[in-house]
């Protein structure tokens, strides 16, 4: 154990944890919104994130951009990759809802069937990118890690005096971008007309239907919004790590689901709190022990907190959110 390393670089490690946790929190929004409305854990959501990372790679490849490109090209490529990832991830999430979940809802299937279906959809998407697409299209598809062009080069912006903490452009983009997207989603759900429909269905689906709220449209909207947030997370992830893989969504999705439960499943702000706390705990554990302890620490933190707060840190459901 090396607590001296943690204490001496506490500010830097905390910033690293916030950066990592911001990505977890964005992906967690998809889990928490679907659960808040449908009381369903959508285990295919991790692959929605994976599709977003491949879309970023596709956009960069088509545009032919790489490190060293001009500022205008970098901005344009990043924005196009963002829009492309959001559309692709939202479209994938919507397809999962329409093809897999909606027929089950119409037949009144029990919750266990939804759970198994979600796992099945996840496996199908993984195998598409890991094997099927490789057969038809060849590289870069396949069961290998693929590098994504480092379009946005990491540059030091400034150093905070007194603590000698260097702030880079990539960290600012990841943290600020994640917070802005979460604020936008929270405002949409709590202030807009469509958001009121989401909260109504989350609180009482039957009464909402009697009041004229279309449940199918609300559920579609929830999947699209959650998918779009996963697309944003995919771009931010590629900015930080520059890689993708056919199963890259598995561990990220698991961590994001943990963050959602940690903050209070069904609570948008809880997803943010859970994601940030999880990211910081992982980085601290990696510093004190080693990187192999990061995953263990994530679930130990979850278990300990749920022992004292079974509903998560915030615990308020989506249907009880106040405007």
């Amino acid at each position: 154990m090396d607590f001296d390393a943690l204490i001496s670089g506490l500010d830097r490690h905390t910033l690293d944890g916030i950066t990592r946790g911001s990505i977890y929190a964005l992906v967690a929004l998809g889990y928490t919104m679907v659960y808040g409305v449908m009381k369903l854990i959508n285990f295919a959501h991790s692959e929605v994130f994976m599709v977003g990372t491949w879309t970023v790679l596709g956009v960069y490849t088509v545009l032919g951009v790489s490190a060293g490109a001009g500022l205008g090209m970098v901005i344009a490529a990043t924005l196009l990759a963002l829009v492309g990832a959001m559309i692709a991830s939202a479209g994938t999430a919507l397809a999962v809802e329409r093809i897999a979940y909606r027929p089950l809802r119409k037949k009144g299937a029990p919750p266990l069937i939804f759970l198994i279906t979600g796992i099945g959809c996840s496996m199908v998407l993984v195998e598409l990118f890991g094997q099927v697409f490789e057969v038809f299209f060849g590289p870069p598809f396949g069961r290998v890690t693929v590098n994504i062009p480092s379009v946005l080069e990491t540059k030091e912006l400034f150093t905070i005096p007194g603590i000698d903490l260097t702030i880079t452009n990539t960290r600012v983009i990841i943290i600020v971008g994640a917070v802005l997207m979460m604020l936008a989603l929270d405002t949409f759900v709590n202030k807009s007309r469509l958001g009121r429909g989401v909260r109504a269905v989350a609180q009482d689906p039957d009464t909402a239907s009697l009041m004229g709220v279309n449940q199918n449209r609300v559920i579609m909207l929830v999947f699209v919004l959650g998918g779009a947030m996963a697309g944003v997370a995919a771009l931010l992830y590629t900015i930080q790590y520059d890689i993708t893989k056919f199963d890259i969504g598995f561990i990220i999705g698991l961590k994001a689901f943990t963050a959602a439960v940690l903050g209070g499943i069904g609570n948008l702000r809880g997803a943010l709190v859970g994601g940030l706390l999880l990211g910081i705990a992982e980085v601290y554990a990696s510093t004190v022990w080693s990187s192999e302890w990061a995953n263990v620490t994530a679930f130990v933190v979850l278990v300990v907190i749920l022992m004292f707060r079974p509903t998560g840190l915030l615990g308020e459901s989506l249907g009880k959110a106040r405007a």
Side-chain angles (χ1 to χ4, degrees):
M1 293 188 293
D2 191 359
F3 285 101
D4 290 338
L6 175 63
I7 300 302
S8 61
L10 186 63
D11 48 2
R12 177 170 54 83
H13 297 314
T14 302
L15 183 60
D16 290 342
I18 292 173
T19 303
R20 183 183 299 189
S22 297
I23 297 173
Y24 291 160
L26 277 178
V27 181
L29 290 173
Y31 287 105
T32 206
M33 287 196 69
V34 171
Y35 182 85
V37 171
M38 296 180 62
K39 299 299 181 286
L40 164 70
I41 303 300
N42 176 25
F43 281 112
H45 188 63
S46 55
E47 275 52 64
V48 171
F49 166 83
M50 178 267 292
V51 170
T53 63
W54 282 96
T55 304
V56 172
L57 173 62
V59 171
Y60 288 165
T61 302
V62 170
L63 295 178
V65 294
S66 59
L71 179 61
M73 188 61 181
V74 168
I75 294 174
T78 303
L79 291 177
L80 285 174
L82 173 64
V83 173
M86 291 178 70
I87 292 174
S89 293
T92 302
L94 181 60
V96 168
E97 192 279 325
R98 293 297 299 270
I99 296 172
Y101 293 137
R102 182 169 294 191
L104 297 179
R105 292 206 318 274
K106 290 182 178 179
K107 295 179 180 179
L112 181 60
I113 301 301
F114 282 90
L115 184 66
I116 296 172
T117 301
I119 296 173
C121 290
S122 174
M123 295 176 66
V124 168
L125 288 170
V126 166
E127 291 304 319
L128 276 177
F129 282 82
Q131 185 168 335
V132 177
F133 285 176
E134 182 184 21
V135 172
F136 287 98
F137 304 111
F141 298 109
R143 298 178 181 276
V144 295
T145 299
V146 181
N147 293 321
I148 295 177
S150 301
V151 174
L152 188 63
E153 295 182 350
T154 300
K155 296 181 180 180
E156 295 183 5
L157 296 181
F158 57 90
T159 299
I160 299 178
I163 58 176
D164 196 29
L165 179 62
T166 300
I167 306 299
T168 63
N169 59 336
T170 53
R171 294 193 185 281
V172 170
I173 290 172
I174 292 171
I175 296 173
V176 173
V179 170
L180 288 178
M181 293 304 299
M182 284 182 276
L183 287 175
L185 181 62
D186 187 75
T187 301
F188 175 82
V189 170
N190 285 306
K191 301 294 184 181
S192 70
R193 181 171 177 271
L194 290 174
R196 287 195 294 272
V198 170
R199 289 186 287 121
V201 173
Q203 188 169 13
D204 191 332
D206 295 333
T207 302
S209 295
L210 292 174
M211 297 298 291
V213 178
N214 189 316
Q215 286 192 47
N216 285 330
R217 289 183 181 176
V218 167
I219 291 172
M220 287 174 57
L221 175 63
V222 165
F223 273 85
V224 167
L225 289 175
M229 294 299 106
V232 177
L235 174 68
L236 300 181
Y237 181 88
T238 58
I239 288 176
Q240 180 71 8
Y241 299 106
D242 296 329
I243 59 170
T244 187
K245 194 179 180 183
F246 74 102
D247 62 351
I248 198 170
F250 175 74
I251 192 64
I252 299 295
L254 201 58
K255 298 289 184 63
F257 174 64
T258 302
V261 175
L262 188 62
I265 189 74
N267 187 311
L268 296 180
R269 296 168 189 176
L272 170 61
V273 173
L276 295 179
L277 178 60
L278 194 65
I280 292 172
E282 283 189 2
V283 172
Y284 283 3
S286 299
T287 305
V288 173
W289 292 289
S290 65
S291 58
E292 287 80 7
W293 283 88
N295 295 340
V296 176
T297 303
F299 298 110
V300 168
V301 169
L302 174 65
V303 170
V304 170
I305 288 183
L306 291 184
M307 286 174 61
F308 299 97
R309 292 280 298 177
T311 58
L313 291 173
L314 301 187
E316 185 182 78
S317 69
L318 184 63
K320 296 180 180 178
R322 295 289 182 262

